[in-house]
mmCIF file with all atom_site columns, all heavy atoms in Angstrom:
data_model
loop_
_atom_site.group_PDB
_atom_site.id
_atom_site.type_symbol
_atom_site.label_atom_id
_atom_site.label_alt_id
_atom_site.label_comp_id
_atom_site.label_asym_id
_atom_site.label_entity_id
_atom_site.label_seq_id
_atom_site.pdbx_PDB_ins_code
_atom_site.Cartn_x
_atom_site.Cartn_y
_atom_site.Cartn_z
_atom_site.occupancy
_atom_site.B_iso_or_equiv
_atom_site.pdbx_formal_charge
_atom_site.auth_seq_id
_atom_site.auth_comp_id
_atom_site.auth_asym_id
_atom_site.auth_atom_id
_atom_site.pdbx_PDB_model_num
ATOM 1   N N   . VAL A 1 63 ? -18.253 90.680 -68.750 1.00 0.00 ? 63 VAL A N   1
ATOM 2   C CA  . VAL A 1 63 ? -16.881 90.908 -68.285 1.00 0.00 ? 63 VAL A CA  1
ATOM 3   C C   . VAL A 1 63 ? -16.688 92.379 -67.930 1.00 0.00 ? 63 VAL A C   1
ATOM 4   O O   . VAL A 1 63 ? -16.169 92.705 -66.857 1.00 0.00 ? 63 VAL A O   1
ATOM 5   C CB  . VAL A 1 63 ? -15.857 90.441 -69.344 1.00 0.00 ? 63 VAL A CB  1
ATOM 6   C CG1 . VAL A 1 63 ? -14.454 90.895 -68.985 1.00 0.00 ? 63 VAL A CG1 1
ATOM 7   C CG2 . VAL A 1 63 ? -15.906 88.919 -69.497 1.00 0.00 ? 63 VAL A CG2 1
ATOM 8   N N   . LEU A 1 64 ? -17.107 93.281 -68.813 1.00 0.00 ? 64 LEU A N   1
ATOM 9   C CA  . LEU A 1 64 ? -16.953 94.715 -68.560 1.00 0.00 ? 64 LEU A CA  1
ATOM 10  C C   . LEU A 1 64 ? -17.706 95.171 -67.318 1.00 0.00 ? 64 LEU A C   1
ATOM 11  O O   . LEU A 1 64 ? -17.237 96.029 -66.577 1.00 0.00 ? 64 LEU A O   1
ATOM 12  C CB  . LEU A 1 64 ? -17.440 95.520 -69.762 1.00 0.00 ? 64 LEU A CB  1
ATOM 13  C CG  . LEU A 1 64 ? -16.577 95.513 -71.007 1.00 0.00 ? 64 LEU A CG  1
ATOM 14  C CD1 . LEU A 1 64 ? -17.280 96.269 -72.128 1.00 0.00 ? 64 LEU A CD1 1
ATOM 15  C CD2 . LEU A 1 64 ? -15.214 96.126 -70.731 1.00 0.00 ? 64 LEU A CD2 1
ATOM 16  N N   . PHE A 1 65 ? -18.892 94.615 -67.097 1.00 0.00 ? 65 PHE A N   1
ATOM 17  C CA  . PHE A 1 65 ? -19.755 95.059 -66.003 1.00 0.00 ? 65 PHE A CA  1
ATOM 18  C C   . PHE A 1 65 ? -19.499 94.312 -64.710 1.00 0.00 ? 65 PHE A C   1
ATOM 19  O O   . PHE A 1 65 ? -20.161 94.555 -63.705 1.00 0.00 ? 65 PHE A O   1
ATOM 20  C CB  . PHE A 1 65 ? -21.229 94.894 -66.379 1.00 0.00 ? 65 PHE A CB  1
ATOM 21  C CG  . PHE A 1 65 ? -21.656 95.622 -67.627 1.00 0.00 ? 65 PHE A CG  1
ATOM 22  C CD1 . PHE A 1 65 ? -22.832 95.273 -68.259 1.00 0.00 ? 65 PHE A CD1 1
ATOM 23  C CD2 . PHE A 1 65 ? -20.901 96.644 -68.189 1.00 0.00 ? 65 PHE A CD2 1
ATOM 24  C CE1 . PHE A 1 65 ? -23.254 95.929 -69.403 1.00 0.00 ? 65 PHE A CE1 1
ATOM 25  C CE2 . PHE A 1 65 ? -21.308 97.303 -69.340 1.00 0.00 ? 65 PHE A CE2 1
ATOM 26  C CZ  . PHE A 1 65 ? -22.497 96.937 -69.951 1.00 0.00 ? 65 PHE A CZ  1
ATOM 27  N N   . ALA A 1 66 ? -18.550 93.360 -64.707 1.00 0.00 ? 66 ALA A N   1
ATOM 28  C CA  . ALA A 1 66 ? -18.216 92.547 -63.526 1.00 0.00 ? 66 ALA A CA  1
ATOM 29  C C   . ALA A 1 66 ? -19.420 91.729 -63.065 1.00 0.00 ? 66 ALA A C   1
ATOM 30  O O   . ALA A 1 66 ? -19.765 91.695 -61.893 1.00 0.00 ? 66 ALA A O   1
ATOM 31  C CB  . ALA A 1 66 ? -17.664 93.418 -62.388 1.00 0.00 ? 66 ALA A CB  1
ATOM 32  N N   . TRP A 1 67 ? -20.049 91.041 -64.021 1.00 0.00 ? 67 TRP A N   1
ATOM 33  C CA  . TRP A 1 67 ? -21.172 90.151 -63.733 1.00 0.00 ? 67 TRP A CA  1
ATOM 34  C C   . TRP A 1 67 ? -20.701 88.704 -63.832 1.00 0.00 ? 67 TRP A C   1
ATOM 35  O O   . TRP A 1 67 ? -19.737 88.393 -64.520 1.00 0.00 ? 67 TRP A O   1
ATOM 36  C CB  . TRP A 1 67 ? -22.290 90.350 -64.740 1.00 0.00 ? 67 TRP A CB  1
ATOM 37  C CG  . TRP A 1 67 ? -22.996 91.672 -64.674 1.00 0.00 ? 67 TRP A CG  1
ATOM 38  C CD1 . TRP A 1 67 ? -22.869 92.641 -63.731 1.00 0.00 ? 67 TRP A CD1 1
ATOM 39  C CD2 . TRP A 1 67 ? -23.950 92.156 -65.616 1.00 0.00 ? 67 TRP A CD2 1
ATOM 40  N NE1 . TRP A 1 67 ? -23.678 93.704 -64.023 1.00 0.00 ? 67 TRP A NE1 1
ATOM 41  C CE2 . TRP A 1 67 ? -24.358 93.432 -65.185 1.00 0.00 ? 67 TRP A CE2 1
ATOM 42  C CE3 . TRP A 1 67 ? -24.494 91.645 -66.780 1.00 0.00 ? 67 TRP A CE3 1
ATOM 43  C CZ2 . TRP A 1 67 ? -25.294 94.195 -65.864 1.00 0.00 ? 67 TRP A CZ2 1
ATOM 44  C CZ3 . TRP A 1 67 ? -25.421 92.408 -67.469 1.00 0.00 ? 67 TRP A CZ3 1
ATOM 45  C CH2 . TRP A 1 67 ? -25.823 93.666 -67.007 1.00 0.00 ? 67 TRP A CH2 1
ATOM 46  N N   . ASP A 1 68 ? -21.416 87.826 -63.162 1.00 0.00 ? 68 ASP A N   1
ATOM 47  C CA  . ASP A 1 68 ? -21.187 86.385 -63.297 1.00 0.00 ? 68 ASP A CA  1
ATOM 48  C C   . ASP A 1 68 ? -22.150 85.845 -64.338 1.00 0.00 ? 68 ASP A C   1
ATOM 49  O O   . ASP A 1 68 ? -23.341 86.199 -64.338 1.00 0.00 ? 68 ASP A O   1
ATOM 50  C CB  . ASP A 1 68 ? -21.442 85.656 -61.975 1.00 0.00 ? 68 ASP A CB  1
ATOM 51  C CG  . ASP A 1 68 ? -20.388 85.960 -60.919 1.00 0.00 ? 68 ASP A CG  1
ATOM 52  O OD1 . ASP A 1 68 ? -19.361 86.583 -61.244 1.00 0.00 ? 68 ASP A OD1 1
ATOM 53  O OD2 . ASP A 1 68 ? -20.601 85.561 -59.759 1.00 0.00 ? 68 ASP A OD2 1
ATOM 54  N N   . VAL A 1 69 ? -21.644 84.971 -65.219 1.00 0.00 ? 69 VAL A N   1
ATOM 55  C CA  . VAL A 1 69 ? -22.494 84.416 -66.274 1.00 0.00 ? 69 VAL A CA  1
ATOM 56  C C   . VAL A 1 69 ? -22.116 82.963 -66.541 1.00 0.00 ? 69 VAL A C   1
ATOM 57  O O   . VAL A 1 69 ? -20.947 82.605 -66.541 1.00 0.00 ? 69 VAL A O   1
ATOM 58  C CB  . VAL A 1 69 ? -22.412 85.258 -67.573 1.00 0.00 ? 69 VAL A CB  1
ATOM 59  C CG1 . VAL A 1 69 ? -21.029 85.254 -68.165 1.00 0.00 ? 69 VAL A CG1 1
ATOM 60  C CG2 . VAL A 1 69 ? -23.435 84.797 -68.599 1.00 0.00 ? 69 VAL A CG2 1
ATOM 61  N N   . HIS A 1 70 ? -23.131 82.148 -66.719 1.00 0.00 ? 70 HIS A N   1
ATOM 62  C CA  . HIS A 1 70 ? -22.960 80.751 -67.131 1.00 0.00 ? 70 HIS A CA  1
ATOM 63  C C   . HIS A 1 70 ? -23.315 80.656 -68.606 1.00 0.00 ? 70 HIS A C   1
ATOM 64  O O   . HIS A 1 70 ? -24.280 81.270 -69.049 1.00 0.00 ? 70 HIS A O   1
ATOM 65  C CB  . HIS A 1 70 ? -23.911 79.828 -66.353 1.00 0.00 ? 70 HIS A CB  1
ATOM 66  C CG  . HIS A 1 70 ? -23.579 79.730 -64.912 1.00 0.00 ? 70 HIS A CG  1
ATOM 67  N ND1 . HIS A 1 70 ? -22.819 78.714 -64.398 1.00 0.00 ? 70 HIS A ND1 1
ATOM 68  C CD2 . HIS A 1 70 ? -23.908 80.513 -63.864 1.00 0.00 ? 70 HIS A CD2 1
ATOM 69  C CE1 . HIS A 1 70 ? -22.693 78.872 -63.101 1.00 0.00 ? 70 HIS A CE1 1
ATOM 70  N NE2 . HIS A 1 70 ? -23.348 79.963 -62.747 1.00 0.00 ? 70 HIS A NE2 1
ATOM 71  N N   . LEU A 1 71 ? -22.540 79.860 -69.345 1.00 0.00 ? 71 LEU A N   1
ATOM 72  C CA  . LEU A 1 71 ? -22.843 79.565 -70.746 1.00 0.00 ? 71 LEU A CA  1
ATOM 73  C C   . LEU A 1 71 ? -23.145 78.081 -70.826 1.00 0.00 ? 71 LEU A C   1
ATOM 74  O O   . LEU A 1 71 ? -22.294 77.249 -70.497 1.00 0.00 ? 71 LEU A O   1
ATOM 75  C CB  . LEU A 1 71 ? -21.662 79.918 -71.641 1.00 0.00 ? 71 LEU A CB  1
ATOM 76  C CG  . LEU A 1 71 ? -21.415 81.419 -71.734 1.00 0.00 ? 71 LEU A CG  1
ATOM 77  C CD1 . LEU A 1 71 ? -20.350 81.823 -70.748 1.00 0.00 ? 71 LEU A CD1 1
ATOM 78  C CD2 . LEU A 1 71 ? -21.012 81.772 -73.118 1.00 0.00 ? 71 LEU A CD2 1
ATOM 79  N N   . ILE A 1 72 ? -24.353 77.767 -71.248 1.00 0.00 ? 72 ILE A N   1
ATOM 80  C CA  . ILE A 1 72 ? -24.811 76.383 -71.267 1.00 0.00 ? 72 ILE A CA  1
ATOM 81  C C   . ILE A 1 72 ? -25.312 76.049 -72.669 1.00 0.00 ? 72 ILE A C   1
ATOM 82  O O   . ILE A 1 72 ? -26.399 76.472 -73.058 1.00 0.00 ? 72 ILE A O   1
ATOM 83  C CB  . ILE A 1 72 ? -25.934 76.180 -70.228 1.00 0.00 ? 72 ILE A CB  1
ATOM 84  C CG1 . ILE A 1 72 ? -25.475 76.673 -68.852 1.00 0.00 ? 72 ILE A CG1 1
ATOM 85  C CG2 . ILE A 1 72 ? -26.371 74.715 -70.186 1.00 0.00 ? 72 ILE A CG2 1
ATOM 86  C CD1 . ILE A 1 72 ? -26.588 76.824 -67.835 1.00 0.00 ? 72 ILE A CD1 1
ATOM 87  N N   . PRO A 1 73 ? -24.520 75.293 -73.434 1.00 0.00 ? 73 PRO A N   1
ATOM 88  C CA  . PRO A 1 73 ? -24.967 74.912 -74.770 1.00 0.00 ? 73 PRO A CA  1
ATOM 89  C C   . PRO A 1 73 ? -25.997 73.797 -74.689 1.00 0.00 ? 73 PRO A C   1
ATOM 90  O O   . PRO A 1 73 ? -26.037 73.042 -73.718 1.00 0.00 ? 73 PRO A O   1
ATOM 91  C CB  . PRO A 1 73 ? -23.691 74.432 -75.454 1.00 0.00 ? 73 PRO A CB  1
ATOM 92  C CG  . PRO A 1 73 ? -22.840 73.951 -74.338 1.00 0.00 ? 73 PRO A CG  1
ATOM 93  C CD  . PRO A 1 73 ? -23.183 74.806 -73.140 1.00 0.00 ? 73 PRO A CD  1
ATOM 94  N N   . SER A 1 74 ? -26.813 73.694 -75.724 1.00 0.00 ? 74 SER A N   1
ATOM 95  C CA  . SER A 1 74 ? -27.849 72.654 -75.724 1.00 0.00 ? 74 SER A CA  1
ATOM 96  C C   . SER A 1 74 ? -27.263 71.275 -75.974 1.00 0.00 ? 74 SER A C   1
ATOM 97  O O   . SER A 1 74 ? -27.725 70.298 -75.423 1.00 0.00 ? 74 SER A O   1
ATOM 98  C CB  . SER A 1 74 ? -28.911 72.967 -76.777 1.00 0.00 ? 74 SER A CB  1
ATOM 99  O OG  . SER A 1 74 ? -28.320 73.031 -78.059 1.00 0.00 ? 74 SER A OG  1
ATOM 100 N N   . VAL A 1 75 ? -26.233 71.181 -76.803 1.00 0.00 ? 75 VAL A N   1
ATOM 101 C CA  . VAL A 1 75 ? -25.664 69.899 -77.172 1.00 0.00 ? 75 VAL A CA  1
ATOM 102 C C   . VAL A 1 75 ? -24.157 70.058 -77.362 1.00 0.00 ? 75 VAL A C   1
ATOM 103 O O   . VAL A 1 75 ? -23.704 71.067 -77.878 1.00 0.00 ? 75 VAL A O   1
ATOM 104 C CB  . VAL A 1 75 ? -26.252 69.389 -78.511 1.00 0.00 ? 75 VAL A CB  1
ATOM 105 C CG1 . VAL A 1 75 ? -25.780 67.978 -78.807 1.00 0.00 ? 75 VAL A CG1 1
ATOM 106 C CG2 . VAL A 1 75 ? -27.767 69.447 -78.519 1.00 0.00 ? 75 VAL A CG2 1
ATOM 107 N N   . GLY A 1 76 ? -23.404 69.070 -76.953 1.00 0.00 ? 76 GLY A N   1
ATOM 108 C CA  . GLY A 1 76 ? -21.972 69.055 -77.243 1.00 0.00 ? 76 GLY A CA  1
ATOM 109 C C   . GLY A 1 76 ? -21.180 70.061 -76.441 1.00 0.00 ? 76 GLY A C   1
ATOM 110 O O   . GLY A 1 76 ? -21.696 70.783 -75.609 1.00 0.00 ? 76 GLY A O   1
ATOM 111 N N   . PHE A 1 77 ? -19.899 70.082 -76.744 1.00 0.00 ? 77 PHE A N   1
ATOM 112 C CA  . PHE A 1 77 ? -18.933 70.910 -76.039 1.00 0.00 ? 77 PHE A CA  1
ATOM 113 C C   . PHE A 1 77 ? -19.057 70.715 -74.549 1.00 0.00 ? 77 PHE A C   1
ATOM 114 O O   . PHE A 1 77 ? -19.073 69.615 -74.046 1.00 0.00 ? 77 PHE A O   1
ATOM 115 C CB  . PHE A 1 77 ? -19.052 72.383 -76.426 1.00 0.00 ? 77 PHE A CB  1
ATOM 116 C CG  . PHE A 1 77 ? -18.683 72.652 -77.846 1.00 0.00 ? 77 PHE A CG  1
ATOM 117 C CD1 . PHE A 1 77 ? -19.552 73.317 -78.673 1.00 0.00 ? 77 PHE A CD1 1
ATOM 118 C CD2 . PHE A 1 77 ? -17.490 72.227 -78.353 1.00 0.00 ? 77 PHE A CD2 1
ATOM 119 C CE1 . PHE A 1 77 ? -19.218 73.576 -79.982 1.00 0.00 ? 77 PHE A CE1 1
ATOM 120 C CE2 . PHE A 1 77 ? -17.135 72.468 -79.658 1.00 0.00 ? 77 PHE A CE2 1
ATOM 121 C CZ  . PHE A 1 77 ? -18.010 73.146 -80.475 1.00 0.00 ? 77 PHE A CZ  1
#
Side-chain angles (χ1 to χ4, degrees):
V63 170
L64 287 175
F65 302 163
W67 292 351
D68 290 350
V69 63
H70 292 264
L71 291 96
I72 307 166
S74 60
V75 187
F77 294 126

